[in-house]
């Protein structure tokens, strides 16, 4: 089982919560409207892929999209966590890719069906290495991050543009679930999502989390 080490403390991934539609410009590019409450779905922890691993394009869809996201690791259990206390529940941060089969997702949405086939397939959660989170040195409301494919910049985001900022996400998620150590939260993707294909190289990067890369097998 994958283990995450933060300042010598080990965490096992427990659940992966993903937030959809959390940046206005991304909501617009998908043709929807901004949600009144966070859109939440889950991926299996089995879909996590470490940096540098070879990825395979899934065969049950045609449009595989990259979605770069800031990803949080919960370090401390909590229910009904106040926004003022939210940051103290975060043990680590990194970047990840919420890989999405867009054509499959569109079809499932139209039919009112669950999203797992489009969001929680094998290798659908490439994840960087978690860095210890210190609220005094990292501003989660002003963190810039990028995604490039074959060296071309595709996505450029900043967490200040989140519809539901990190504190609000933790408050709201913890009203619906008791958050536990090892919980992982993908916080939503900015605009610029686009196609990935066999042979591509994806890089995701921020000053605060470092740079991580994956290659798709040709
Ligand atoms: Mg996403």
């Amino acid at each position: 089982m994958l283990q995450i080490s933060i300042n010598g403390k080990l965490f096992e991934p427990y659940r992966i919560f993903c937030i959809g539609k959390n940046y206005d410009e991304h909501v617009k590019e998908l043709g929807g409207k901004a949600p009144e409450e966070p859109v939440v779905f889950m991926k299996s922890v089995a879909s996590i892929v470490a940096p540098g691993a070879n990825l395979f394009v899934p065969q049950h869809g045609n449009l595989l999209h990259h979605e770069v996201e800031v990803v949080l690791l919960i370090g401390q259990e909590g229910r009904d966590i106040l926004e003022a206390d939210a940051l103290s529940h975060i043990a680590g941060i990194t970047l990840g890719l919420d890989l999405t089969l867009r054509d499959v997702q569109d079809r499932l949405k139209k039919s009112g069906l669950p999203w797992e086939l489009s969001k929680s397939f094998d290798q659908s959660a490439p994840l960087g290495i978690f860095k210890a989170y210190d609220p005094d040195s990292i501003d989660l409301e002003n963190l810039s991050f990028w995604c490039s494919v074959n060296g071309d910049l595709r996505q450029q985001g900043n967490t200040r543009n989140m519809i539901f900022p990190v504190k609000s996400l933790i408050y709201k998620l913890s009203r619906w679930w008791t958050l536990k150590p090892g919980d992982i939260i993908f916080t939503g993707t900015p605009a610029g999502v686009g196609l990935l294909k066999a042979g591509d190289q994806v890089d995701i990067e921020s000053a605060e989390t470092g740079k991580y890369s994956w290659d798709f097998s040709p």
Side-chain angles (χ1 to χ4, degrees):
M1 188 63 175
L2 174 72
Q3 285 198 317
I4 299 164
S5 174
I6 302 283
N7 292 335
K9 194 171 173 198
L10 291 178
F11 296 89
E12 262 185 30
Y14 188 58
R15 292 171 292 193
I16 303 177
F17 296 99
C18 299
I19 308 301
K21 300 185 176 183
N22 203 24
Y23 289 82
D24 266 326
E25 293 301 315
H26 171 62
V27 173
K28 281 183 201 152
E29 75 182 345
L30 292 187
K33 63 180 197 340
E36 286 172 16
E37 289 283 355
V39 174
V40 186
F41 61 93
M42 294 171 96
K43 287 190 191 245
S44 166
V45 294
S47 61
I48 294 173
V49 191
N54 242 24
L55 299 177
F56 295 89
V57 174
Q59 296 301 300
H60 63 285
N62 295 312
L63 302 176
L64 179 66
H65 274 190
H66 53 81
E67 296 190 358
V68 65
E69 311 199 1
V70 172
V71 182
L72 312 173
L73 174 70
I74 295 294
Q76 190 193 325
E77 180 169 325
R79 174 136 196 128
D80 298 327
I81 299 166
L82 298 176
E83 287 198 20
D85 298 331
L87 297 183
S88 68
H89 288 260
I90 302 172
I93 70 161
T94 190
L95 297 178
L97 284 166
D98 167 19
L99 292 181
T100 303
L101 280 167
R102 192 70 64 197
D103 55 326
V104 176
Q105 186 194 30
D106 287 346
R107 195 173 71 229
L108 295 170
K109 277 183 181 171
K110 274 188 198 123
S111 310
L113 293 170
W115 289 6
E116 277 84 347
L117 277 177
S118 65
K119 285 286 198 181
S120 191
F121 47 86
D122 289 350
Q123 298 189 311
S124 59
L127 195 58
I129 305 296
F130 280 102
K131 301 275 167 71
Y133 169 66
D134 171 6
D136 294 329
S137 61
I138 294 175
D139 183 358
L140 276 174
E141 293 185 0
N142 184 14
L143 190 155
S144 292
F145 57 105
W146 298 270
C147 173
S148 305
V149 179
N150 305 326
D152 296 329
L153 182 64
R154 294 273 190 93
Q155 291 184 271
Q156 187 167 15
N158 187 294
T159 53
R160 67 172 167 256
N161 297 318
M162 284 182 174
I163 296 170
F164 300 100
V166 165
K167 287 177 186 172
S168 166
L169 290 177
I170 289 176
Y171 162 67
K172 286 174 181 287
L173 282 174
S174 72
R175 293 171 68 201
W176 296 326
W177 289 274
T178 302
L179 293 183
K180 302 267 194 179
D183 277 337
I184 289 168
I185 305 171
F186 279 65
T187 57
T189 199
V193 301
L195 197 60
L196 290 166
K197 49 190 190 337
D200 281 349
Q201 182 189 313
V202 192
D203 301 314
I204 57 178
E205 182 174 13
S206 79
E208 292 83 352
T209 64
K211 180 176 180 178
Y212 303 101
S213 304
W214 290 268
D215 288 312
F216 281 88
S217 294

